[in-house]
């Protein structure tokens, strides 16, 4: 073989190998698959009595009393019922919850649900209580353990959802509405609990209940629920009780922080305070300290002290005053003030609509991680910042539930339009003028909508920082 | 007796025998020999190139056939947080460690729920035996009250 041919042969092979590698690297990532559901709906005007259907018990049907206490009894009753040889396991329950009603072993499911009749009756009584106060002694005892019954509340919600599914299948729409009403009230009451974990459980329960409405609106003669959904608050599950508690949890755990800026602590007192805070971040306070540990602490204190002093002076403290303070006191005051600034930065945006608050929430997340960067490797890190929750994610999940409700309201507005326009779908959402069409709370603007004859697509795109579950597309077909 | 060339009779006989042989044409020329030698040395190098090229082809075919399916990239919401650094104060006796542990447990649970979902929450499993025994009947209650 001549030298030229050999060289050409080698070059060809190398080129082929490289191009295959580049082709692999250049494979475009698959588009995120948005959650898509098909809805076959009929036109439906608003009811003659616009507020005939509600997701809250009527005022006159309510009774004095605290629902929280009764909810505990309902759960106990449910657990009592779900014992013995016919006890339902979680997997079975999840499957019955997820599967379409057409795929369920109906007789078996009916038999299982019937066993919980007493539980459902008690629940109907509980949701009619005028108030729901969880009465955790936080101010006195601090943030409590997470309620051990939260998973049981989730199980109760699944039972309620399956019951509603069966009722809708049987055409018992009034009964189904009553069941869904109870499920919604339960979710909202649980989610209004005084900590974020309970709030998140309430969000999930509400989302599961709202999801059943997709079955409702597909029934041929389903009443229009536009106003029933519109009377619900924008934030279906109230986050304020949890916000208040979480923002002050550190003060509940270390009451001396409330007067820290007014009462000078000795170095020993600050050490004691840090030691108690150290347990939050998992530090083993019983571990014997070595000479190296002590040397390290002293070195870090010496490096942190000038920074703390400068920061305090910058924020209005007289230099002479700060210099009279014990070294560790100056450091802990600076730490506490850093924590307060970041805490308020994080929490303030939680009160705002997500579309407006997104950048602020991310700024809060960055500020928290900035503190970690500053303190990383330091054993005198700011322990207070670690208690701050992932506010961005919680606000995101709140907004996702609001989006789900808004999408259903939009579908109901479309059904209303079709009823008033000879069974035709609107060409665009702007054509709907009889009722306000909600916006996508993720985007702060209208949902995407495209009509094609007797069908339409209504979509809330996946948010920039979300996954497939966070977007939603309805493929609507009008009967 | 040696002849004029100094050869003895035996040598003369050998000379005569050799004289009957005719020289043959040479099968290779110098040039041909030199070329063949060079060619032999290049053959070895050629085999090395062929070996490398073949190996690359095999690699190419294997990599194409084993190309993984494109994966859906799911981007979760950012949670910008790193592990908490430790606080190391000197050991000083203080009270209420249980309360601090409870708060720590809560903070951890909250983070775990957000990162991994609700399965991290404790759940009671359905009992296959009735909880608390058979339910009390009126007769049981009556017996109980009359026995006190």
């Amino acid at each position: 073989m001549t030298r030229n041919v050999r060289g050409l042969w080698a070059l060809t092979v190398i080129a082929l190998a490289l191009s295959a590698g580049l082709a692999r690297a250049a494979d475009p990532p698959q588009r995120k698959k948005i959650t898509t559901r098909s809805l076959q709906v009929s036109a439906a005007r608003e009811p003659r009595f616009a507020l005939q259907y509600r997701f809250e018990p009527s005022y006159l049907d309510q009774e004095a009393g605290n629902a929280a206490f009764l909810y505990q009894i309902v759960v106990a009753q449910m657990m009592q019922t779900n014992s013995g040889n016919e006890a339902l396991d979680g997997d079975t329950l999840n499957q019955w919850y997820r599967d379409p009603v057409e795929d369920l072993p109906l007789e078996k499911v009916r038999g299982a649900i019937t066993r919980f009749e007493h539980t459902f009756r008690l629940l109907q009584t509980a949701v009619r209580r005028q108030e729901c106060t969880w009465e955790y002694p936080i101010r006195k005892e601090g943030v409590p353990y997470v309620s051990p019954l939260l998973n049981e509340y989730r199980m109760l919600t699944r039972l309620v959802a399956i019951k509603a599914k069966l009722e809708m299948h049987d055409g018992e729409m009034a009964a189904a509405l009553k069941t869904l009403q109870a499920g919604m009230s339960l979710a909202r009451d649980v989610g209004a609990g005084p900590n974020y974990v309970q709030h998140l459980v309430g969000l999930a329960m509400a989302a599961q209940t709202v999801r059943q409405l997709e079955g409702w609106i597909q029934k041929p003669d389903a009443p229009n629920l536009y106003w029933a959904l519109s009377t619900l608050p924008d934030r279906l599950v109230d986050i304020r009780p949890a916000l208040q508690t979480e923002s002050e949890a550190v003060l509940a755990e270390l009451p001396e922080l409330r007067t820290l800026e007014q009462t000078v602590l000795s170095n020993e007192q600050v050490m004691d305070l840090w030691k108690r805070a150290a347990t939050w971040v998992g530090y083993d306070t019983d571990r014997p300290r070595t000479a190296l540990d002590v040397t390290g602490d002293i070195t870090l204190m010496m490096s942190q002290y000038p920074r703390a002093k400068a920061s305090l002076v910058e924020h209005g403290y007289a230099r002479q005053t700060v210099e009279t303070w014990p070294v560790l006191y100056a450091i802990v005051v600076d730490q506490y003030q850093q924590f307060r600034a970041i805490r308020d930065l994080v929490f303030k945006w939680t009160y705002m609509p997500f579309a407006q608050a997104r950048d602020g929430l991310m700024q809060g997340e960055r500020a928290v991680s900035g503190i970690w960067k500053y303190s990383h490797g330091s054993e005198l890190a700011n322990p207070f910042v670690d208690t701050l929750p992932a506010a961005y994610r919680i606000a995101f999940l709140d907004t996702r539930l609001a989006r789900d409700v808004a999408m259903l309201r939009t579908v109901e507005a479309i059904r209303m339009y079709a009823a008033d326009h000879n069974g035709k779908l609107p060409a665009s959402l702007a054509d709907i003028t009889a009722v306000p069409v909600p916006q996508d709370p993720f985007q702060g603007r209208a949902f995407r909508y495209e009509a094609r004859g007797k069908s339409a697509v209504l979509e809330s795109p996946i948010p920039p920082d979300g996954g497939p579950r966070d977007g939603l597309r309805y493929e609507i077909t009008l009967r | 007796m040696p002849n004029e060339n100094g050869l003895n009779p035996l040598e003369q006989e050998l000379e005569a025998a050799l004289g009957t042989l005719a020289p043959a044409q040479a099968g290779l020329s110098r040039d041909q020999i030199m070329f063949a030698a060079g060619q032999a040395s290049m053959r070895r190098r050629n085999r090395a190139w062929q070996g490398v090229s073949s190996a690359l082809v095999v690699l190419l075919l294997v990599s194409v056939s084993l190309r993984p399916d494109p994966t859906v990239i799911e981007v979760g919401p950012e949670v910008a947080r790193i592990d908490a650094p430790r606080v190391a104060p000197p050991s000083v006796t203080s009270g209420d460690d249980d309360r601090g542990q409870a708060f720590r447990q809560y903070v951890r649970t909250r983070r775990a729920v957000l990162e991994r979902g609700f399965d991290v929450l404790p759940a009671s499993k359905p009992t296959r035996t009735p909880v608390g025994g058979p339910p009390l009947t009126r007769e049981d209650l009556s017996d109980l009250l009359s026995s006190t």
Side-chain angles (χ1 to χ4, degrees):
Chain A
M1 183 182 291
T2 65
R3 187 180 301 171
N4 288 341
V5 172
R6 187 176 60 245
L8 192 61
W9 168 245
L11 276 173
T12 304
V13 170
I14 291 169
L16 279 172
L18 278 174
S19 63
L22 283 171
R24 257 178 94 182
D27 274 344
Q30 269 199 4
R31 282 185 62 196
K32 294 183 215 175
K33 294 177 183 174
I34 190 171
T35 300
T36 300
R37 299 198 193 113
S38 299
L39 300 179
Q40 195 174 42
V41 302
S42 305
R45 291 195 169 84
E46 73 174 49
R48 182 184 174 204
F49 308 113
L51 299 180
Q52 179 176 354
Y53 304 103
R54 300 289 296 269
F55 287 113
E56 293 162 311
S58 146
Y59 175 77
L60 293 179
D61 289 341
Q62 294 176 22
E63 298 165 1
N66 186 358
F69 172 68
L70 270 184
Y71 285 141
Q72 316 274 27
I73 297 180
V74 171
V75 163
Q77 174 65 43
M78 179 188 74
M79 291 163 68
Q80 169 83 26
T81 302
N82 198 41
S83 60
N85 292 331
E86 293 176 337
L88 283 175
D89 61 271
D91 290 340
T92 303
L93 201 58
N94 287 343
Q95 190 171 0
W96 289 354
Y97 164 75
R98 289 205 173 99
D99 287 350
V101 67
E102 300 78 29
D103 297 344
L104 293 178
L106 285 175
E107 288 315 305
K108 188 175 180 185
V109 175
R110 271 188 232 283
I113 291 295
T114 304
R115 290 178 58 225
F116 293 94
E117 273 308 313
H118 191 30
T119 302
F120 295 133
R121 272 207 305 279
L122 267 176
L123 177 63
Q124 288 290 345
T125 304
V127 300
R128 274 155 180 69
R129 288 287 189 266
Q130 275 181 326
E131 60 178 58
C132 181
T133 308
W134 292 97
E135 295 188 10
Y136 298 150
I138 293 173
R139 293 183 186 91
K140 191 175 172 189
E141 300 292 333
V143 176
Y145 293 100
V146 168
S147 166
L149 296 181
L150 289 182
N151 259 328
E152 276 61 40
Y153 284 122
R154 293 174 64 216
M155 176 182 170
L156 180 57
T157 294
R158 284 193 173 84
L159 287 172
V160 167
I162 294 167
K163 181 174 188 287
K165 208 188 279 194
L166 290 176
E167 286 162 344
M168 286 188 280
H169 176 261
D170 295 341
E172 296 169 13
M173 302 305 277
L177 182 70
K178 197 172 170 188
T179 301
L180 291 170
Q181 190 187 74
M184 198 82 80
S185 295
L186 171 68
R188 293 179 63 196
D189 284 340
V190 169
N195 61 67
Y196 270 158
V197 173
Q198 191 158 326
H199 177 73
L200 290 168
V201 171
L203 281 183
M205 292 164 63
Q208 290 171 1
T209 307
V210 165
R211 177 85 190 268
Q212 303 314 308
L213 296 177
E214 291 175 359
W216 174 287
I217 63 177
Q218 294 191 78
K219 298 298 284 185
D221 297 320
N224 194 300
L225 292 179
Y226 175 86
W227 289 110
L229 292 166
S230 299
T231 56
L232 294 170
D234 287 343
R235 265 196 166 133
L236 183 58
V237 181
D238 191 1
I239 195 176
R240 285 174 179 260
L243 264 180
Q244 283 188 318
T245 309
E246 295 277 356
S247 66
E248 297 185 30
V250 168
L251 301 177
E253 295 301 312
L254 292 174
E256 54 264 63
L257 290 179
R258 300 181 74 177
T259 56
L260 182 69
E261 288 151 306
Q262 291 82 40
T263 308
V264 177
L265 301 180
S266 67
N267 285 328
E268 289 73 25
Q269 286 172 315
V270 174
M271 284 297 201
D272 178 66
L273 189 151
W274 270 337
K275 187 182 179 190
R276 279 179 287 140
T279 57
W280 303 341
V281 297
Y283 186 72
D284 180 6
T285 55
D286 294 328
R287 180 177 68 89
R289 295 183 54 74
T290 63
L292 194 60
D293 291 331
V294 175
T295 308
D297 285 348
I298 293 171
T299 309
L300 288 161
M301 284 179 213
M302 289 170 64
S303 73
Q304 291 215 353
Y305 177 62
R307 271 199 291 257
K309 205 166 59 166
S311 172
L312 291 168
V313 169
E314 183 191 342
H315 290 104
Y317 286 89
R319 179 176 294 278
Q320 299 92 314
T321 305
V322 173
E323 286 176 352
T324 64
W325 289 348
V327 167
L328 300 189
Y329 178 71
I331 295 173
V332 80
V333 170
D334 181 52
Q335 284 181 340
Y336 178 59
Q337 291 191 344
Q338 279 182 359
F339 159 74
R340 281 184 62 191
I342 293 175
R343 178 200 63 184
D344 291 356
L345 171 62
V346 166
F347 278 98
K348 71 184 185 186
W349 289 108
T350 314
Y351 291 94
M352 304 294 290
F354 186 82
Q356 297 169 5
R358 174 187 270 125
D359 289 345
L361 287 166
M362 289 307 296
Q363 188 187 8
E365 295 279 310
R366 283 194 294 272
V368 171
S369 64
I371 279 284
W372 292 134
K373 219 172 174 180
Y374 166 73
S375 308
H376 187 65
S378 162
E379 292 195 330
L380 290 179
N382 190 331
F384 314 125
V385 176
D386 188 50
T387 65
L388 293 175
Y392 180 93
R393 179 66 179 159
I394 294 167
F396 186 98
L397 294 171
D398 263 326
T399 306
R400 193 169 72 183
L401 175 62
R403 187 278 313 278
D404 291 349
V405 174
M407 286 276 280
L408 286 168
R409 275 180 70 204
T410 306
V411 172
E412 293 302 82
I414 291 170
R415 290 209 299 148
M416 218 183 273
Y417 178 95
D420 293 336
H421 292 82
N422 297 322
K424 285 187 188 153
L425 288 168
S428 74
L429 293 180
D431 291 349
I432 302 174
T433 53
V435 292
V437 176
Q439 291 191 328
D440 184 344
F442 273 128
Q443 313 288 332
R445 57 174 185 259
F447 291 109
R448 285 188 194 164
Y449 176 80
E450 189 184 333
R452 307 163 193 155
K454 276 286 191 185
S455 62
V457 170
L458 181 70
E459 182 178 295
S460 167
I462 299 173
D465 33 20
R469 288 180 58 196
D470 300 320
L472 182 59
R473 177 188 292 142
Y474 283 146
E475 295 175 343
I476 302 167
T477 306
L478 198 60
R479 289 194 187 90
Chain B
M1 166 184 214
N3 63 2
E4 60 203 26
N5 294 325
L7 297 174
N8 61 38
L10 184 62
E11 288 168 342
Q12 288 170 26
E13 192 178 336
L14 182 60
E15 185 187 40
L18 288 172
T20 63
L21 297 174
Q25 280 289 347
L28 294 170
S29 69
R30 177 189 175 277
D31 289 341
Q32 281 177 318
I33 291 169
M34 293 302 288
F35 177 81
Q39 195 179 39
S41 74
M42 290 309 293
R43 200 174 292 129
R44 280 189 294 277
R45 215 183 299 173
N46 223 21
R47 283 201 198 99
W49 270 109
Q50 284 173 349
V52 167
S53 302
S54 302
L56 283 174
V57 169
V58 169
L59 198 63
L60 169 67
L61 291 172
V62 167
S63 68
V64 167
S65 66
L66 291 180
R67 182 193 303 198
D69 293 333
T71 52
V72 175
I73 296 170
E74 294 187 21
V75 176
E78 291 177 30
V79 177
R81 200 180 296 282
I82 59 176
D83 286 339
R86 299 184 306 175
V87 173
S91 56
V92 173
T93 55
S94 66
D96 230 354
D97 282 346
D98 286 346
R99 183 161 158 171
Q101 293 290 346
F103 186 52
R104 172 190 161 198
Q105 184 62 35
Y106 171 73
V107 171
R108 284 186 161 190
T109 301
R110 183 183 64 197
R111 189 174 295 169
V113 165
L114 281 169
E115 291 174 359
R116 302 203 300 270
F118 297 113
D119 290 340
V120 302
L121 293 174
S124 61
K125 290 186 173 29
T127 54
R128 290 292 161 189
T129 53
V131 172
L136 282 176
T137 62
R138 283 185 191 275
E139 287 71 24
D140 293 330
L141 199 54
S142 178
D143 289 344
L144 187 67
L145 290 170
S146 62
S147 67
T148 55

